[in-house]
Amino acid sequence: MDKKRVYTFGNGQAEGKAEMKNLLGGKGANLAEMNLIGVPVPPGFTITTEVCSEYYELGRDKVVDLLKEDVEKSVAKVEALMKSKFGDVENPLLVSVRSGARASMPGMMDTILNLGLNDEVVEGLTRKTGNARFAWDSYRRFVQMYGDVVLGMKPTNKEDIDPFEAIIEEVKESKGVKLDNELEVEDLKVLVKKFKEAVKKQTGHDFPTCAYEQLWGAICAVFDSWMNERAILYRKMEGIPAEWGTAVSVQAMVFGNMGETSATGVCFSRDAGTGEDLFNGEYLINAQGEDVVAGIRTPQQITKIGSQRWAELAGIPEDVRAAKYPSMEEAMPEIYKELDEIQTRLENHYRDMQDMEFTVQEGKLWFLQTRNGKRTGAAMVKIAMDLLRQGMIDEKTALKRVEPNKLDELLHPVFDKAALKNAKVIAKGLPASPGAATGQIVFFADDAAKWHADGHKVVMVRIETSPEDLAGMAVAQGILTARGGMTSHAAVVARGMGKCCVSGAGALSIDYKSRTLEVGGVTLKEGDYISINGSTGEVYEGKVATRAAELSGDFADLMALADKYTRMKVRTNADTPHDAEVARKFGAIGIGLCRTEHMFFEGEKIKAMREMILAENEEGRKIALAKILPYQKADFKGIFKAMEGCPVTVRLLDPPLHEFVPHDEKGQQEMADAMGVSFKHIQQRVEALHEQNPMLGHRGCRLGNTYPEITRMQTRAILGAALELKKEGVETFPEIMVPLTGLLPEFKEQENVIREEAAALFAEMGDSIDYKVGTMIEIPRAALTAERIAQGAEFFSFGTNDLTQMTFGYSRDDVASFLPIYLEKKILQVDPFQVLDQNGVGQLVRMATEKGRSVRPDLKCGICGEHGGEPSSVKFCHRVGLNYVSCSPFRVPIARLAAAQAAIEE
Ligand code: ADP
Ligand code: MG
Ligand code: MG
């Protein structure tokens, strides 16, 4: 039998179900499921995502042939249920054609409503409903959507305006009205006529009148939209593969634009911004489809409490609010009750926060969509923990519900309370997506990208945003819009991205031409600083100071829960006491990598260091090193103290020497003076230190092996600090790490130096301390011969930055010239310096761990590259059996959660 390409749903029955997301797309699967659980949904059918792939393989004509019979049969089913006929003049069935991928891609794919209309059918619809305004309003919307999406009339360039919008503006202006719904029937007729003229003029063809021709055009356009620029960009950002494809759902229309007892809206079973367990949403009376989201009119709130909060933010008095902007709860209490009942049912059914779309047609409620709602990081944590407490999900599910990377948002700064008091509020909008953002104003997405590339922090300010603005929103600190509600494009996308957003700040008057923004007598230009508070909706002039976030409340509970299931530990990479303290607050249980090079760079230290490097002989070097020792010891004391009671892995000096010497004449002269040698001498030494390929040059343990006195000094500083702290009653666990080992003897040499110096120091001090000597595994040879290296080393720490560099043979410093192209061409799926290459570099990690433990079963293994804070890499480390990952302080909670998830997934 040929495979099934079309799945029908309607009247409480469905061929599909929620589990079939991969095949039917999220929207199609949930439309089916809603039917099965008795939610009122207009009947329709879904064409599978597999057909999308066939479409790109076989081409349009073949696919239409393949589908024809099934689609016609399915249309007939819908006709029977709706007691009307597709293409019929007197009793027409109208449909929507909707896209839907596995993962929801808001605003990405284009939907066409009211399909099936033409000049005769619109008259028939008028006769059937007795509502000419409705019929013509539907028709003009259809011609516009079809023209934009199917006939390609939508301008690709953002500066050009949509030809249909231009016509609407023109007609509105000639009538002296502001809003679409103020247009009369005659005006709507004019719109349709002009729209069709525009189509003819631009495409050279008449607007299609045959219902089936329209339908096939729309279905294919949905498939085409899978490859449009916005969709590609969104997939890239979200890591969605192109192979998934989109499904197409064709569904009987229900109409929210039939008058005062009709409406359309969107709602959430919980607050997507804060996570609060409060049903909320927005609706518009006598409107259709995306009107609420598009910010055409100010939408009203669904619940009374939501309405009151909204009015308070907007500064609208209660009596005005109740009269002018009543909530649905007040204006349509019966429908509201049903809506509330169904949203509760859906949330209970899916056991997660739902994002729903509905339409009310002449007093009857229909659901058009439900999905697990996008949410901010904060909401994600709160909702997971609330659902757990409410007994809807278990602990493991709660842990799995939080995307580790989303925690990043909770770790970012918030506005400093004191600074906020003095900040000048210039406007107030809706708290669309929480957080604090300060940056320079830009008005266009490409400017945002450009400024960002130049190192500026920007806040993107728009009248309203559209999918074309995605790239700009992605790089902005925050987004501010003058129009649009809590469910506007800006708000939804910002919440998805975890970006701070204030929407609908109506007092702003934005002029794109002059690139200025005027509000309450203040004029701000492009480049001026502005600050926005996504948690309150406040907009401030200038910069407002921010402060660090804290791990508390639900976030802390979640982390505690993570620890309950985790096997692998999380340490941090920290070179200063401050970083160590931050990481500890975030739950790090030690330092996996303490780099020592920066300790040589500041002030007096760099001079002594330069003296050491430029010295003629060992004697000279020793004198210089003696000057550095006390500084180093003090640095280590600070770090050990901050990590009291926890292990700290200190890496011996690693970078090539030439990085330390002055390359400018002034600096060289200074050194000559300080050391009492000639300028020429210094110049020659600097030249001699120059390397063709410093990454593969005189660095790591090669330094320690050629200048053992450096290793000696560092050993003294590390263990000396630990001994002094021991006296003060502070417990330390120093681990000395030899960098860049490739051969057992080069490790052994260093180990001997360390142990000798330690013994000497302990004898001098009359006291001792436990310490370990281990190595970094960052050269492929070390991984390949790990069973030899482990004879000496007491621990392995995988330096996956260098290991990646040397396994791929990509210079970390030079990848920018080809990596973007490799990613573009899909030669590489991801940047291996960000996401551990499990098949290559990862195999070295696995092999070295196994080999190492074969000779030293208790060998402690960890990873300390950038990958230590990247969730998929962390999970890999768990599977390989590492003891810990080490990452930058702000990634610690992310790694902790990822480690717990890895343990649960096992
Ligand atoms: P998106 O994925 O962008 O949300 P949708 O397919 O959900 O696109 O449709 C866009 C809008 O049109 C939504 O508000 C939806 O509720 C509405 N809509 C879609 N199909 C119908 C229909 N058959 N009847 C009424 N409204 C519809
Ligand atoms: Mg949409
Ligand atoms: Mg939708």
Side-chain angles (χ1 to χ4, degrees), residues 27 96 98 111 113 251-254 289-290 357 359 368-369:
K27 201 179 284 167
S96 65
R98 318 174 64 186
T111 289
L113 303 179
Q251 191 177 21
M253 281 303 300
V254 288
E290 305 268 72
E357 297 176 357
T359 282
L368 290 157
Q369 191 171 341

Side-chain angles (χ1 to χ4, degrees), residues 409-483:
E409 292 163 31
L410 280 80
L411 302 168
H412 281 312
V414 291
F415 281 124
D416 182 79
K417 283 221 172 70
L420 216 47
K421 273 206 190 103
N422 301 321
K424 182 177 167 201
V425 178
I426 50 171
K428 235 173 163 194
L430 299 172
S433 181
T438 290
Q440 290 174 278
I441 297 174
V442 292
F443 294 98
F444 296 100
D446 12 2
D447 293 330
K450 243 181 272 153
W451 286 57
H452 174 75
D454 292 340
H456 296 276
K457 297 202 154 146
V458 299
V459 170
M460 193 157 142
V461 181
R462 301 279 306 162
I463 296 172
E464 59 202 331
T465 64
S466 68
E468 282 78 14
D469 296 321
L470 269 179
M473 296 170 78
V475 298
Q477 303 296 307
I479 298 135
L480 170 63
T481 68
R483 263 196 243 155

Side-chain angles (χ1 to χ4, degrees), residues 27 105-111 290 293 357 369 371:
K27 201 179 284 167
M105 295 169 65
M108 287 298 99
M109 316 293 285
D110 295 303
T111 289
E290 305 268 72
V293 185
E357 297 176 357
Q369 191 171 341
R371 60 184 165 208

Side-chain angles (χ1 to χ4, degrees), residues 362-605:
E362 299 191 304
K364 162 126 183 70
L365 175 65
W366 295 94
F367 267 66
L368 290 157
Q369 191 171 341
T370 192
R371 60 184 165 208
N372 295 338
K374 294 209 181 255
R375 62 204 76 175
T376 62
M380 191 174 274
V381 172
K382 177 159 173 54
I383 290 172
M385 296 311 284
D386 278 350
L387 289 174
L388 172 65
R389 281 186 288 259
Q390 290 162 357
M392 303 245 272
I393 56 176
D394 61 15
E395 289 183 348
K396 288 183 179 177
T397 308
L399 284 168
K400 282 195 277 194
R401 281 287 172 81
V402 182
E403 285 166 44
N405 274 330
K406 275 276 193 185
L407 295 179
D408 198 36
E409 292 163 31
L410 280 80
L411 302 168
H412 281 312
V414 291
F415 281 124
D416 182 79
K417 283 221 172 70
L420 216 47
K421 273 206 190 103
N422 301 321
K424 182 177 167 201
V425 178
I426 50 171
K428 235 173 163 194
L430 299 172
S433 181
T438 290
Q440 290 174 278
I441 297 174
V442 292
F443 294 98
F444 296 100
D446 12 2
D447 293 330
K450 243 181 272 153
W451 286 57
H452 174 75
D454 292 340
H456 296 276
K457 297 202 154 146
V458 299
V459 170
M460 193 157 142
V461 181
R462 301 279 306 162
I463 296 172
E464 59 202 331
T465 64
S466 68
E468 282 78 14
D469 296 321
L470 269 179
M473 296 170 78
V475 298
Q477 303 296 307
I479 298 135
L480 170 63
T481 68
R483 263 196 243 155
M486 293 292 282
T487 50
S488 64
H489 178 266
V492 172
V493 172
R495 282 199 295 271
M497 291 179 172
K499 283 261 144 105
C500 167
C501 173
V502 171
S503 69
L508 303 182
S509 107
I510 294 168
D511 182 15
Y512 287 144
K513 274 223 187 75
S514 63
R515 304 194 174 203
T516 56
L517 146 71
E518 207 250 70
V519 58
V522 184
T523 303
L524 299 172
K525 325 181 284 301
E526 180 179 64
D528 287 346
Y529 276 92
I530 197 166
S531 301
I532 57 174
N533 190 335
S535 311
T536 62
E538 279 174 320
V539 180
Y540 318 97
E541 193 180 346
K543 286 190 205 181
V544 180
T546 54
R547 68 170 173 75
E550 282 168 14
L551 199 159
S552 60
D554 285 325
F555 188 15
D557 292 348
L558 176 80
M559 285 294 115
L561 195 58
D563 290 346
K564 185 170 163 186
Y565 289 92
T566 308
R567 185 188 72 223
M568 196 167 60
K569 302 270 184 283
V570 178
R571 294 197 192 182
T572 191
N573 298 347
D575 312 342
T576 64
H578 172 76
D579 284 358
E581 271 158 31
V582 171
R584 260 198 114 149
K585 284 203 188 106
F586 288 147
I589 54 92
I591 292 181
L593 176 63
C594 172
R595 303 176 180 91
T596 55
E597 30 284 2
H598 85 101
M599 297 178 181
F600 293 94
F601 273 106
E602 296 150 22
E604 283 302 302
K605 305 182 220 177

Side-chain angles (χ1 to χ4, degrees), residues 107-151:
M108 287 298 99
M109 316 293 285
D110 295 303
T111 289
I112 295 146
L113 303 179
N114 311 328
L115 188 141
L117 282 168
N118 62 29
D119 287 353
E120 279 102 58
V121 175
V122 71
E123 296 297 353
L125 190 63
T126 305
R127 283 190 293 274
K128 180 181 165 189
T129 60
N131 189 339
R133 180 161 214 298
F134 151 69
W136 283 92
D137 184 52
S138 302
Y139 193 21
R140 63 100 184 176
R141 287 171 186 270
F142 169 58
V143 177
Q144 175 171 2
M145 280 184 260
Y146 198 90
D148 273 338
V149 178
V150 183
L151 305 177

Side-chain angles (χ1 to χ4, degrees), residues 114-270:
N114 311 328
L115 188 141
L117 282 168
N118 62 29
D119 287 353
E120 279 102 58
V121 175
V122 71
E123 296 297 353
L125 190 63
T126 305
R127 283 190 293 274
K128 180 181 165 189
T129 60
N131 189 339
R133 180 161 214 298
F134 151 69
W136 283 92
D137 184 52
S138 302
Y139 193 21
R140 63 100 184 176
R141 287 171 186 270
F142 169 58
V143 177
Q144 175 171 2
M145 280 184 260
Y146 198 90
D148 273 338
V149 178
V150 183
L151 305 177
M153 302 269 291
K154 190 186 234 157
T156 42
N157 190 336
K158 71 168 163 64
E159 260 115 58
D160 306 336
I161 40 169
D162 182 301
F164 302 112
E165 290 297 331
I167 294 169
I168 295 176
E169 284 309 312
E170 186 192 303
V171 172
K172 278 202 281 195
E173 204 159 298
S174 76
K175 296 286 293 187
V177 300
K178 274 202 167 141
L179 299 174
D180 291 14
N181 61 348
E182 291 167 331
L183 292 172
E184 288 162 35
V185 176
E186 287 315 308
D187 308 325
L188 298 171
K189 289 185 180 173
V190 171
L191 282 184
V192 171
K193 186 160 162 285
K194 293 196 175 208
F195 283 179
K196 289 204 294 187
E197 281 164 11
V199 167
K200 175 86 197 221
K201 197 167 148 225
Q202 195 169 324
T203 68
H205 298 286
D206 284 320
F207 191 86
T209 54
C210 162
Y212 266 107
E213 187 188 341
Q214 292 173 355
L215 181 60
W216 289 115
I219 290 171
C220 295
V222 173
F223 288 143
D224 287 331
S225 74
W226 180 249
M227 286 296 174
N228 77 28
E229 221 174 284
R230 285 183 275 138
I232 292 171
L233 177 70
Y234 188 85
R235 284 203 293 273
K236 211 163 160 186
M237 282 188 331
E238 300 286 312
I240 297 171
E243 299 79 63
W244 284 5
T246 179
V248 185
S249 289
V250 177
Q251 191 177 21
M253 281 303 300
V254 288
F255 301 99
N257 57 338
M258 289 188 82
E260 296 305 304
T261 56
S262 300
T264 179
V266 297
C267 55
F268 299 88
S269 63
R270 290 172 195 241

